[in-house]
Amino acid sequence: MAAGFKTAEPLEYHRSFLKENCRPDGRELGEFRPTTLNTGSISTADGSALVKIGNATVICGIKAELATPTADAPDKGYIVPNVDLPPLCSSRFRPGPPGEQAQVASQFIADIIDDSNIIKKEDLCIGKSKLCWVLYCDIMCLDYDGNLPDACIITLLAALKNAQLPKVTINKETDLPEVDVQHKRHLQINKHPVASSFAVFDDEVIIVDPTTEEESLATALITAVTDENDQLCAFHKPGGSSLSAEKLQGCISRAVTRNREINKLIDRVTESIKSTK
């Protein structure tokens, strides 16, 4: 009976739970799904991480390459994120060029990198106007179950913290780069942004960490990105129903708490890996 009701009237099915301040999967309205993290998952990458938020699974691999700085930023390197939503992660995606959702996600992450100043791009410069690092951050969804922004930002931050780059100098005589793979260093992480996504039902009820089904039924979707200093780095609300200033502030406050939770998780995983080496 319940399965038939869910199939025939999915919105009313969810409303019946929301009236009781809970959700079909048993979570409270402000409760995130269990989040797990592994780093160093890709041995061929310079840094990598895999995160699971409930069933949603995303992996990030970072590849560092040497390049020439641009003329308008001669003392800076580059960070190039790319989000891939392959057919294997969900039947909603098709083979071929990146779809609109993947392109929007890639741009969103690029904006977060710039707005939060997660890594100072000056730190990626080896020789002004001569040589710099380019960090290609390839983020792939392995299992799509909603809340893509949160998973992407977590796995990106964890992969950047896991990354190590070899020491590079420029030979003064030949003006060519010399790479010392025996001496590697971790990247200097300047900020620790974490995204928290919300879904709005009937212009009133707000839930955190929406699943794919909840996203499809919501009247609005919101993503708030905060850093470890409780500062708002970005706020993304692509249309939908309006919210009061009080409700928006409530979302930001929950995002601040989520930032602390995720950064503790990343630190714990990072420290456990260091202790095993």
Side-chain angles (χ1 to χ4, degrees):
M1 181 70 178
F5 179 34
K6 179 180 179 181
T7 303
E9 297 286 347
L11 182 55
E12 289 302 324
Y13 175 79
H14 277 74
R15 281 172 174 159
S16 67
F17 284 89
L18 296 177
K19 288 176 182 177
E20 304 298 325
N21 291 319
C22 65
R23 296 150 77 173
D25 59 9
R27 285 186 288 158
E28 296 179 358
L29 305 187
E31 184 180 351
F32 283 83
R33 289 170 289 180
T35 304
T36 57
L37 175 70
N38 289 305
T39 59
S41 317
I42 307 173
S43 60
T44 55
D46 293 302
S48 62
L50 182 147
V51 68
K52 290 191 69 173
I53 303 177
N55 292 326
T57 308
V58 177
I59 192 168
C60 176
I62 294 175
K63 202 66 181 172
E65 295 184 4
L66 294 171
T68 304
T70 59
D72 59 342
D75 60 343
K76 295 181 180 180
Y78 318 76
I79 304 175
V80 185
N82 179 64
V83 176
D84 187 14
L85 298 173
L88 68 87
C89 76
S90 172
S91 58
R92 65 190 291 166
F93 303 117
R94 296 286 180 267
E100 181 181 358
Q101 187 172 357
Q103 293 180 50
V104 169
S106 296
Q107 185 58 54
F108 176 70
I109 292 173
D111 292 341
I112 296 304
I113 291 171
D114 290 338
D115 295 342
S116 69
N117 201 22
I118 185 171
I119 289 178
K120 292 182 179 179
K121 294 182 181 178
E122 291 87 352
D123 292 344
L124 299 176
C125 184
I126 300 165
K128 186 174 181 180
S129 300
K130 292 183 177 181
L131 195 66
C132 70
W133 284 110
V134 181
L135 303 182
Y136 292 101
C137 307
D138 292 315
I139 302 170
M140 178 180 288
C141 183
L142 303 179
D143 190 347
Y144 186 88
D145 191 18
N147 203 356
L148 182 67
D150 293 24
C152 287
I153 295 296
I154 293 172
T155 191
L156 172 68
L157 177 58
L160 288 171
K161 292 197 73 170
N162 176 251
Q164 296 185 69
L165 302 182
K167 182 179 179 182
V168 178
T169 55
I170 300 176
N171 189 300
K172 293 182 179 180
E173 295 180 1
T174 64
D175 213 29
L176 295 174
E178 295 180 347
V179 182
D180 183 0
V181 295
Q182 299 301 318
H183 294 85
K184 292 187 176 183
R185 62 175 179 86
H186 284 282
L187 295 166
Q188 180 64 43
I189 306 300
N190 188 49
K191 292 290 182 181
H192 298 73
V194 173
S196 297
S197 292
F198 307 82
V200 183
F201 278 80
D202 297 328
D203 303 342
E204 174 121 354
V205 181
I206 299 176
I207 63 173
V208 305
D209 182 22
T211 62
T212 301
E213 188 173 20
E214 289 170 337
E215 287 180 346
S216 67
L217 298 171
T219 53
L221 297 173
I222 300 167
T223 299
V225 183
T226 60
D227 64 21
E228 70 276 19
N229 297 320
D230 301 345
Q231 297 298 308
L232 186 66
C233 303
F235 192 86
H236 184 60
K237 183 179 178 293
S241 54
S242 60
L243 289 176
S244 66
E246 182 181 0
K247 287 186 179 295
L248 290 175
Q249 186 57 51
C251 292
I252 295 171
S253 296
R254 183 64 183 95
V256 167
T257 303
R258 177 65 169 172
N259 182 288
R260 294 170 185 160
E261 296 167 353
I262 292 302
N263 273 299
K264 284 181 180 178
L265 172 64
I266 294 175
D267 288 344
R268 187 166 64 247
V269 171
T270 302
E271 290 302 318
S272 67
I273 289 178
K274 286 181 180 179
S275 64
T276 59
K277 290 184 178 180

